[in-house]
Amino acid sequence: MQACVNLSPDRRGDCGISISVAHSRRPERRQIHHWRIKGPIFIAVGRFKIGGMKQALFINLALIAILVSAAIISAVVAAFVDPTSSFFAVVGSMVWATFGRSLLLVTLLACLIGIAVQLNDMKRLAGLVLTLSTTGLAGSVYILAQIYFAGIAAGGEINLPAAFLLDDMQQPAPDLMETLDTADGVDLRAAIYLPPPMLVPAPVIVYIHGGGFMAGTHTETAADLRWCADKGWLVISVEYRLFGPDRPTWGAAPEDVRCALVWTSAHAASFGGDPTRLALLGDSAGGNLAINAGFAAAVGGTTSRCGPDVPVPIAIAVQYPAVDPTSIYNDVFAIPGSEPRMLIEGYIGASPDQYPARLAAVSSATFLTRVAPPTLIILTQKDSLVVASGTLAFVQDAKAAGVDIELVQIPFANQIFNQVAANSLGNQIGRTVHLRFLADHLRWPGRDLPLVLRRISCSQRRCQLACEDQHCVAFVG
């Protein structure tokens, strides 16, 4: 069999490739077939004897495997690069905690394609496929192992099969939507996620969303909020005023959070919660607001337009909190649409040089005292917005001030490593580490209620239960 490949334009001037195959060298028995492929093409340079559609299939699969493996290698390399240096590094640090397991499977498939090509006597092509795919596989395994074991070491729980079942973070809808207050003519609402019916009040989580102080919603992490509620917590996710053109909210947003805490303290019992067992959660900008509000309340004397005596949370758990606006302003990579200088200037009204007092008012270091509540910070080491150096410096200052603070570092992870998709590797680490910390400090066996709450006997809807940590809790029914 002989094959001839001719690259030439057609009558319209479009580039294409013509392939002619003769099935015999003897003229009287020769059967010639022609194909012409138009449009964008990949050209493999070399001399191949084409043995039929089987060989053509393996060549195409090999080309796909080469391209995919090269892309994954690029993502591996980018994950090691400083995320504040380039968009390439930002993308590399964004993919692994969410899509890493899928990328690992793709590299395994590429390896299998390389083996299949090798068995079909295309050794040079197979060698290239196997070299690239095994390199991508090794890099993927290393990065995912680092993320996995960091989560396990922090007390997280990871269901590896579930990491393939990615789901929508913004579903389901909350059980209730209540209005906390009205400010600047806008209703500030609370999304409420109820725990299962229980014989004692549930501990309360107040969650403050992120978004650079200018975006985000209080239901954007609904999957996590619902998950926490199902574990036995009353979850209240609150809105606060976001900045806009010529409308800085450096004073308004913290006031809205204090108002939400006062409202929660007054209303939690009506939703089955225990207002004396309150925890604060927040991400990014919400982490800044959670730490500042909780630390200030612990000192005493903070008030709110919704009432005096802002409650002091028993514990605070935050992820990639914007504790150091100065490092965000000076040191990060500017992604179009969320440039750090624009975020800080929009929040405080101008550059930090113009308003140093406002900068101090929103910097979490201002609120450090030894009476601050126990605090968990989950730090993404490859954060391109809330740079690790600023957070690490804050943690050191907090420890020096006597704060009971725990730092969990997640390698090869960037902002919202836990919020792109529910059930992802990063998502499972974020929510289970949070709940482990809160359960430890609020003495609530809520990480796995079905295992902890053992029903002994029931009569007329009154149950006797095995108890843990002097708290007897049960599902009603």
Side-chain angles (χ1 to χ4, degrees):
M1 180 180 66
Q2 295 177 320
C4 177
V5 179
N6 178 38
L7 180 65
S8 62
D10 60 14
R11 296 177 181 176
R12 300 179 180 178
D14 296 330
C15 271
I17 183 169
S18 297
I19 304 175
S20 301
V21 178
H23 289 270
S24 174
R25 293 187 179 184
R26 298 175 61 181
E28 65 276 12
R29 299 181 60 184
R30 182 173 297 171
Q31 297 180 0
I32 300 178
H33 299 277
H34 302 274
W35 295 272
R36 182 169 182 81
I37 306 172
K38 295 183 179 180
I41 57 172
F42 293 101
I43 303 173
V45 179
R47 187 174 181 179
F48 296 96
K49 290 185 177 181
I50 302 177
M53 293 302 295
K54 182 179 179 181
Q55 286 82 353
L57 174 62
F58 279 114
I59 290 173
N60 289 330
L61 289 175
L63 291 175
I64 294 172
I66 288 170
L67 293 174
V68 170
S69 298
I72 292 175
I73 290 173
S74 296
V76 170
V77 172
F80 286 88
V81 178
D82 179 3
T84 65
S85 63
S86 66
F87 186 73
F88 171 71
V90 172
V91 173
S93 60
M94 291 287 286
V95 299
W96 291 102
T98 302
F99 305 109
R101 295 206 68 196
S102 298
L103 297 180
L104 178 64
L105 286 183
V106 170
T107 57
L108 283 172
L109 180 59
C111 287
L112 293 177
I113 291 174
I115 294 172
V117 173
Q118 175 78 24
L119 294 176
N120 278 269
D121 294 327
M122 302 180 203
K123 296 184 179 180
R124 291 184 179 180
L125 187 59
L128 179 58
V129 173
L130 288 172
T131 298
L132 293 176
S133 60
T134 53
T135 301
L137 178 62
S140 301
V141 169
Y142 177 80
I143 291 174
L144 290 174
Q146 292 292 309
I147 296 173
Y148 175 85
F149 287 113
I152 294 298
E157 299 175 0
I158 301 171
N159 182 336
L160 290 176
F164 292 104
L165 305 175
L166 303 183
D167 206 349
D168 186 0
M169 280 295 297
Q170 299 187 41
Q171 295 295 330
D175 296 306
L176 298 168
M177 192 73 76
E178 297 286 332
T179 298
L180 300 172
D181 191 29
T182 300
D184 295 333
V186 177
D187 289 340
L188 299 175
R189 300 170 299 166
I192 300 174
Y193 299 81
L194 301 174
M198 292 182 287
L199 293 179
V200 297
V204 182
I205 288 173
V206 173
Y207 173 74
I208 308 169
H209 69 82
F213 304 106
M214 73 165 187
T217 72
H218 63 321
T219 58
E220 65 186 13
T221 58
D224 280 355
L225 304 178
R226 179 71 264 164
W227 183 85
C228 290
D230 289 342
K231 295 295 183 180
W233 298 74
L234 170 64
V235 181
I236 300 177
S237 180
V238 301
E239 289 184 319
Y240 56 92
R241 280 172 285 179
L242 306 173
F243 78 77
D246 301 318
R247 194 181 71 249
T249 56
W250 65 276
E255 168 62 19
D256 294 342
V257 171
R258 292 194 296 270
C259 184
L261 290 174
V262 172
W263 185 93
T264 299
S265 179
H267 293 85
S270 64
F271 304 114
D274 180 356
T276 66
R277 302 170 70 206
L278 173 68
L280 261 177
L281 268 64
D283 300 330
S284 194
N288 168 282
L289 293 168
I291 286 178
N292 295 0
F295 283 20
V299 176
T302 56
T303 61
S304 163
R305 68 177 183 274
C306 296
D309 301 325
V310 176
V312 180
I314 294 178
I316 300 172
V318 294
Q319 297 180 119
Y320 35 88
V323 292
D324 183 17
T326 300
S327 65
I328 295 174
Y329 190 80
N330 292 326
D331 302 334
V332 305
F333 180 78
I335 299 176
S338 61
E339 294 88 348
R341 289 179 178 267
M342 179 270 291
L343 295 177
I344 300 303
E345 290 177 358
Y347 187 46
I348 68 174
S351 69
D353 292 338
Q354 292 178 264
Y355 291 116
R358 292 184 181 183
L359 181 68
V362 301
S363 298
S364 298
T366 302
F367 303 92
L368 287 175
T369 65
R370 63 180 304 169
V371 297
T375 300
L376 166 71
I377 291 180
I378 297 179
L379 168 66
T380 46
Q381 291 182 346
K382 294 293 184 177
D383 202 317
S384 58
L385 182 59
V386 179
V387 291
S389 60
T391 306
L392 291 172
F394 173 79
V395 171
Q396 292 301 316
D397 292 342
K399 289 181 177 179
V403 180
D404 178 6
I405 192 165
E406 177 182 343
L407 175 67
V408 172
Q409 299 192 55
I410 307 298
F412 302 108
N414 203 326
Q415 275 268 331
I416 64 171
F417 81 107
N418 62 312
Q419 293 185 8
V420 177
N423 299 325
S424 69
L425 182 62
N427 179 251
Q428 292 188 50
I429 291 173
R431 64 191 186 185
T432 57
V433 171
H434 268 143
L435 217 55
R436 184 272 305 168
F437 177 83
L438 297 183
D440 290 344
H441 287 277
L442 274 76
R443 299 177 63 81
W444 177 252
R447 281 200 297 165
D448 200 343
L449 283 173
L451 293 180
V452 175
L453 308 181
R454 299 179 297 275
R455 180 172 298 171
I456 297 175
S457 64
C458 289
S459 175
Q460 296 179 352
R461 299 176 66 84
R462 298 179 63 184
C463 303
Q464 296 178 352
L465 302 165
C467 300
E468 191 167 297
D469 291 338
Q470 299 179 350
H471 291 291
C472 296
V473 291
F475 296 114
V476 175

